[in-house]
Amino acid sequence: MNASARILRALLKRGDVLEQFSEAQTREVLRILEQANDEIVGKIASTKGAGTREWLGAVKADIDEIYRAAMERARVKSFGALHDLAEDELAVTAETLDRYAMGVSFTTPSTRELWASITALPAAEGSTLAELFDAMRIGSSKAVVQALQAGMAEGETIDQMVRRVRGKVVKPARWARDENGKKVRIPGEYSGGAMDTTTQGARALVRTATMHVSNAAREALYQDNADLIKGYQHVATLDADACLVCGAYDGTEYGLDEARPSLPLHPHCRCLYLPVLKSWQELGIALKEAPAGTRASMDGQVPENETYSDRLRKASPERRVAMLGPSRARLYEQGVPLSAMVEGGKILTLDDIAQRSKKGEA
């Protein structure tokens, strides 16, 4: 097993740590947001003059302010944890490269410069981390206000509008002890209300932020050692959650200066770029007298791993339908490649795929 294969194995294993980090941060953000949701529901239930335009305007102002304060608390708390994650990811990746690329010394970029670039770079859909938090604030407020407007249009009572906003109780709120033994309130869980978009958005936001920080830290390290790296291989996490977008790029190799999609590709994306190390020969180093392990550590090759395309090619017709959907599975069996179904990190519509096929772009 060469250095690249060992590095990939270590980075994939690191995914378990990132998953645990994401889950912990999601709980923290949800705790803040659920407190805000409870406050908003209380405001709606207690206000007078319900059903009038003036009432809605006053409630909207309260909702906007409550979500603004909550998302600011969530952003500050998350940024502190993400900053620590960036430092940790940089250190772990550097240690991994040093361990498996025997005989080669890697430099580590400044953590201050790293964090500045992380907060400035787009994290998803062209937006920075701060902009994603702000977009969630706006979207959460909008969803609740639109639910109230719909309730007013149908002549609902305050209680009915509260249920429309909050949804049905899945688990009631409760008190528990945290890891430090402190008594904390665990918010209740609800389903079917407008506020569902807030909790779902929080999970997607934290996962996206986690992967953005992780990938950005690794990329900064790779860029600082460009003299030792000749390219990258796109690697998707292949499990039941692997999507067509990630699968279409899985296994693709890029030259060092070749344009490639930014990661994460989408919310919940778990893809990574594996650095393809230069061989000893490409580095101009003769190792005839070096130990066998050192000589074999760097051969300039990417690992031989099963890709999403490999799995799709070997899959049964039923499994292909499960992976692609019936229409795209049928197109695939007719010879349309995965690359023709995805563009710019998004799944193309069937009409777009047909148009590309007519133009000979597939």
Side-chain angles (χ1 to χ4, degrees):
M1 185 181 293
N2 65 10
S4 291
R6 289 188 171 95
I7 291 168
L8 174 58
R9 187 171 61 179
L11 294 180
L12 291 176
K13 187 175 180 181
R14 176 70 178 170
D16 294 336
V17 175
L18 296 177
E19 187 68 25
Q20 292 168 6
F21 173 89
S22 181
E23 290 176 359
Q25 290 307 304
T26 296
R27 288 194 295 271
E28 290 296 323
V29 172
L30 284 178
R31 185 177 294 127
I32 293 171
L33 288 176
E34 287 302 323
Q35 290 172 352
N37 288 341
D38 285 348
E39 186 177 353
I40 288 170
V41 168
K43 289 281 185 181
I44 295 171
S46 65
T47 50
K48 306 299 181 181
T52 68
R53 185 177 300 176
E54 291 74 16
W55 170 79
L56 182 62
V59 172
K60 181 181 183 304
D62 287 337
I63 292 170
D64 288 344
E65 176 54 28
I66 291 169
Y67 274 137
R68 184 206 63 76
M71 287 309 299
E72 178 60 17
R73 290 198 302 274
R75 186 194 66 79
V76 170
K77 194 171 189 66
S78 295
F79 271 35
L82 290 168
H83 181 278
D84 293 343
L85 175 66
E87 290 188 344
D88 190 43
E89 197 68 9
L90 195 63
V92 169
T93 306
E95 192 275 334
T96 299
L97 294 179
D98 283 336
R99 181 192 309 163
Y100 295 123
M102 292 179 288
V104 176
S105 179
F106 290 84
T107 60
T108 304
S110 160
T111 53
R112 179 180 296 181
E113 293 177 0
L114 169 62
W115 181 246
S117 69
I118 285 174
T119 54
L121 288 171
E125 299 178 349
S127 299
T128 64
L129 286 177
E131 290 168 342
L132 289 177
F133 273 85
D134 199 45
M136 184 175 169
R137 170 189 65 81
I138 295 170
S140 299
S141 182
K142 183 178 179 180
V144 173
V145 172
Q146 286 179 338
L148 293 176
Q149 290 172 329
M152 289 171 59
E154 295 185 16
E156 292 180 349
T157 65
I158 281 290
D159 286 345
Q160 289 173 321
M161 284 192 280
V162 165
R163 286 194 292 273
R164 179 187 285 268
V165 167
R166 201 57 167 121
K168 296 180 180 180
V169 177
V170 177
K171 288 183 181 179
R174 60 187 176 86
W175 290 91
R177 299 283 180 181
D178 65 12
E179 58 273 13
N180 298 316
K182 182 180 178 182
K183 194 175 182 181
V184 295
R185 183 175 183 274
I186 306 299
E189 295 182 19
Y190 304 83
S191 175
M195 286 176 171
D196 270 1
T197 59
T198 300
T199 55
Q200 293 167 8
R203 292 187 176 93
L205 174 58
V206 172
R207 172 66 68 82
T208 299
T210 299
M211 298 313 297
H212 169 63
V213 169
S214 172
N215 282 307
R218 294 172 182 174
E219 290 274 336
L221 180 65
Y222 302 156
Q223 290 170 12
D224 261 30
N225 294 277
D227 57 324
L228 305 174
I229 296 170
K230 66 178 181 180
Y232 300 93
Q233 182 186 40
H234 189 118
V235 179
T237 301
L238 298 183
D239 55 22
D241 295 327
C243 70
L244 174 57
V245 172
C246 298
Y249 291 110
D250 187 33
T252 304
E253 296 175 32
Y254 301 91
L256 187 63
D257 299 319
E258 186 177 354
R260 51 197 164 93
S262 298
L263 299 181
L265 293 172
H266 56 79
H268 298 296
C269 176
R270 294 169 297 156
C271 293
L272 61 87
Y273 280 120
L274 173 71
V276 182
L277 304 177
K278 291 180 180 179
S279 66
W280 294 119
Q281 184 177 4
E282 289 168 323
L283 291 172
I285 300 174
L287 291 179
K288 292 182 179 180
E289 304 304 321
T294 298
R295 292 200 305 271
S297 68
M298 292 174 64
D299 59 12
Q301 301 298 312
V302 298
E304 292 292 334
N305 294 293
E306 184 178 58
T307 66
Y308 187 91
S309 294
D310 295 331
R311 289 191 177 187
L312 190 62
R313 186 175 59 255
K314 295 185 295 185
S316 66
E318 294 76 17
R319 179 57 182 158
R320 284 177 182 165
V321 169
M323 295 172 74
L324 302 177
S327 297
R328 289 182 176 80
R330 188 164 51 251
L331 289 172
Y332 177 82
E333 291 170 358
Q334 292 171 356
V336 178
L338 283 180
S339 58
M341 301 182 190
V342 173
E343 185 174 62
K346 295 183 179 180
I347 300 175
L348 294 173
T349 65
L350 296 177
D351 287 341
D352 288 338
I353 295 172
Q355 289 297 323
R356 291 186 64 174
S357 296
K358 288 179 181 179
K359 294 178 182 178
E361 297 177 10

Short mmCIF file of all heavy atoms in Angstrom, two decimals, residues 116-138:
data_model
loop_
_atom_site.label_atom_id
_atom_site.label_comp_id
_atom_site.label_asym_id
_atom_site.label_seq_id
_atom_site.Cartn_x
_atom_site.Cartn_y
_atom_site.Cartn_z
N ALA A 116 -8.79 33.22 8.42
CA ALA A 116 -9.21 34.37 7.62
C ALA A 116 -9.71 33.92 6.25
O ALA A 116 -10.71 34.42 5.74
CB ALA A 116 -8.06 35.36 7.47
N SER A 117 -9.01 32.95 5.65
CA SER A 117 -9.43 32.47 4.34
C SER A 117 -10.70 31.64 4.44
O SER A 117 -11.56 31.69 3.56
CB SER A 117 -8.31 31.64 3.70
OG SER A 117 -8.12 30.42 4.39
N ILE A 118 -10.86 30.88 5.52
CA ILE A 118 -12.05 30.06 5.71
C ILE A 118 -13.30 30.93 5.80
O ILE A 118 -14.34 30.63 5.20
CB ILE A 118 -11.91 29.20 6.98
CG1 ILE A 118 -10.95 28.03 6.72
CG2 ILE A 118 -13.28 28.66 7.44
CD1 ILE A 118 -10.64 27.21 7.95
N THR A 119 -13.21 32.03 6.53
CA THR A 119 -14.38 32.90 6.69
C THR A 119 -14.64 33.74 5.45
O THR A 119 -15.77 34.20 5.24
CB THR A 119 -14.21 33.83 7.90
OG1 THR A 119 -12.96 34.56 7.78
CG2 THR A 119 -14.20 33.04 9.19
N ALA A 120 -13.63 33.92 4.61
CA ALA A 120 -13.80 34.73 3.40
C ALA A 120 -14.26 33.90 2.20
O ALA A 120 -14.96 34.41 1.31
CB ALA A 120 -12.49 35.44 3.05
N LEU A 121 -13.88 32.62 2.17
CA LEU A 121 -14.21 31.76 1.03
C LEU A 121 -15.67 31.33 1.05
O LEU A 121 -16.26 31.15 2.11
CB LEU A 121 -13.33 30.51 1.04
CG LEU A 121 -11.85 30.70 0.68
CD1 LEU A 121 -11.09 29.41 0.96
CD2 LEU A 121 -11.71 31.08 -0.79
N PRO A 122 -16.29 31.16 -0.14
CA PRO A 122 -17.66 30.63 -0.18
C PRO A 122 -17.71 29.23 0.42
O PRO A 122 -16.86 28.39 0.13
CB PRO A 122 -17.97 30.60 -1.68
CG PRO A 122 -17.03 31.58 -2.30
CD PRO A 122 -15.78 31.50 -1.48
N ALA A 123 -18.71 28.99 1.27
CA ALA A 123 -18.87 27.68 1.89
C ALA A 123 -19.89 26.83 1.15
O ALA A 123 -19.79 25.60 1.13
CB ALA A 123 -19.30 27.84 3.35
N ALA A 124 -20.87 27.47 0.54
CA ALA A 124 -21.91 26.75 -0.23
C ALA A 124 -22.71 27.76 -1.04
O ALA A 124 -23.05 28.85 -0.54
CB ALA A 124 -22.83 25.97 0.70
N GLU A 125 -22.98 27.41 -2.29
CA GLU A 125 -23.80 28.24 -3.17
C GLU A 125 -23.31 29.69 -3.23
O GLU A 125 -24.10 30.62 -3.30
CB GLU A 125 -25.27 28.19 -2.71
CG GLU A 125 -25.85 26.78 -2.75
CD GLU A 125 -27.28 26.72 -2.25
OE1 GLU A 125 -27.76 27.72 -1.68
OE2 GLU A 125 -27.92 25.68 -2.43
N GLY A 126 -22.00 29.86 -3.19
CA GLY A 126 -21.42 31.19 -3.32
C GLY A 126 -21.47 32.04 -2.07
O GLY A 126 -21.08 33.21 -2.10
N SER A 127 -21.94 31.50 -0.96
CA SER A 127 -22.08 32.27 0.27
C SER A 127 -21.03 31.87 1.31
O SER A 127 -20.68 30.69 1.43
CB SER A 127 -23.47 32.06 0.88
OG SER A 127 -24.48 32.48 0.00
N THR A 128 -20.55 32.86 2.06
CA THR A 128 -19.61 32.59 3.15
C THR A 128 -20.37 32.00 4.33
O THR A 128 -21.61 31.97 4.36
CB THR A 128 -18.91 33.88 3.59
OG1 THR A 128 -19.90 34.79 4.13
CG2 THR A 128 -18.19 34.55 2.44
N LEU A 129 -19.62 31.55 5.34
CA LEU A 129 -20.27 31.00 6.53
C LEU A 129 -21.19 32.02 7.19
O LEU A 129 -22.32 31.70 7.57
CB LEU A 129 -19.20 30.55 7.53
CG LEU A 129 -18.44 29.26 7.19
CD1 LEU A 129 -17.37 29.00 8.24
CD2 LEU A 129 -19.40 28.07 7.09
N ALA A 130 -20.71 33.25 7.33
CA ALA A 130 -21.53 34.29 7.96
C ALA A 130 -22.80 34.54 7.16
O ALA A 130 -23.88 34.73 7.73
CB ALA A 130 -20.72 35.58 8.11
N GLU A 131 -22.69 34.53 5.84
CA GLU A 131 -23.86 34.75 4.99
C GLU A 131 -24.84 33.60 5.08
O GLU A 131 -26.06 33.80 5.00
CB GLU A 131 -23.41 34.97 3.54
CG GLU A 131 -22.70 36.30 3.33
CD GLU A 131 -22.01 36.40 1.98
OE1 GLU A 131 -21.78 35.34 1.33
OE2 GLU A 131 -21.67 37.53 1.57
N LEU A 132 -24.34 32.37 5.27
CA LEU A 132 -25.23 31.23 5.44
C LEU A 132 -26.02 31.33 6.74
O LEU A 132 -27.21 31.01 6.78
CB LEU A 132 -24.42 29.93 5.41
CG LEU A 132 -23.83 29.52 4.06
CD1 LEU A 132 -23.01 28.25 4.20
CD2 LEU A 132 -24.93 29.32 3.02
N PHE A 133 -25.37 31.79 7.81
CA PHE A 133 -26.08 31.98 9.07
C PHE A 133 -27.14 33.06 8.91
O PHE A 133 -28.26 32.94 9.42
CB PHE A 133 -25.10 32.35 10.18
CG PHE A 133 -24.48 31.17 10.87
CD1 PHE A 133 -23.36 30.55 10.36
CD2 PHE A 133 -25.04 30.66 12.04
CE1 PHE A 133 -22.79 29.45 10.98
CE2 PHE A 133 -24.48 29.56 12.68
CZ PHE A 133 -23.35 28.95 12.15
N ASP A 134 -26.80 34.12 8.19
CA ASP A 134 -27.76 35.21 8.00
C ASP A 134 -28.92 34.76 7.13
O ASP A 134 -30.07 35.12 7.38
CB ASP A 134 -27.06 36.41 7.35
CG ASP A 134 -27.84 37.70 7.55
OD1 ASP A 134 -28.31 37.95 8.69
OD2 ASP A 134 -28.01 38.45 6.57
N ALA A 135 -28.63 33.96 6.11
CA ALA A 135 -29.69 33.46 5.24
C ALA A 135 -30.64 32.56 6.03
O ALA A 135 -31.86 32.56 5.79
CB ALA A 135 -29.09 32.68 4.08
N MET A 136 -30.11 31.80 6.96
CA MET A 136 -30.96 30.94 7.78
C MET A 136 -31.87 31.79 8.67
O MET A 136 -33.04 31.45 8.88
CB MET A 136 -30.11 30.01 8.63
CG MET A 136 -30.95 29.03 9.42
SD MET A 136 -29.95 27.83 10.30
CE MET A 136 -31.24 27.12 11.33
N ARG A 137 -31.33 32.89 9.20
CA ARG A 137 -32.15 33.79 10.01
C ARG A 137 -33.32 34.32 9.20
O ARG A 137 -34.48 34.29 9.63
CB ARG A 137 -31.29 34.96 10.52
CG ARG A 137 -32.10 36.08 11.16
CD ARG A 137 -31.23 37.29 11.44
NE ARG A 137 -30.71 37.91 10.23
CZ ARG A 137 -31.40 38.75 9.47
NH1 ARG A 137 -32.66 39.05 9.77
NH2 ARG A 137 -30.84 39.31 8.41
N ILE A 138 -33.02 34.79 8.00
CA ILE A 138 -34.06 35.36 7.13
C ILE A 138 -35.09 34.29 6.75
O ILE A 138 -36.30 34.52 6.79
CB ILE A 138 -33.43 35.98 5.88
CG1 ILE A 138 -32.55 37.17 6.28
CG2 ILE A 138 -34.50 36.41 4.88
CD1 ILE A 138 -31.70 37.71 5.14
#
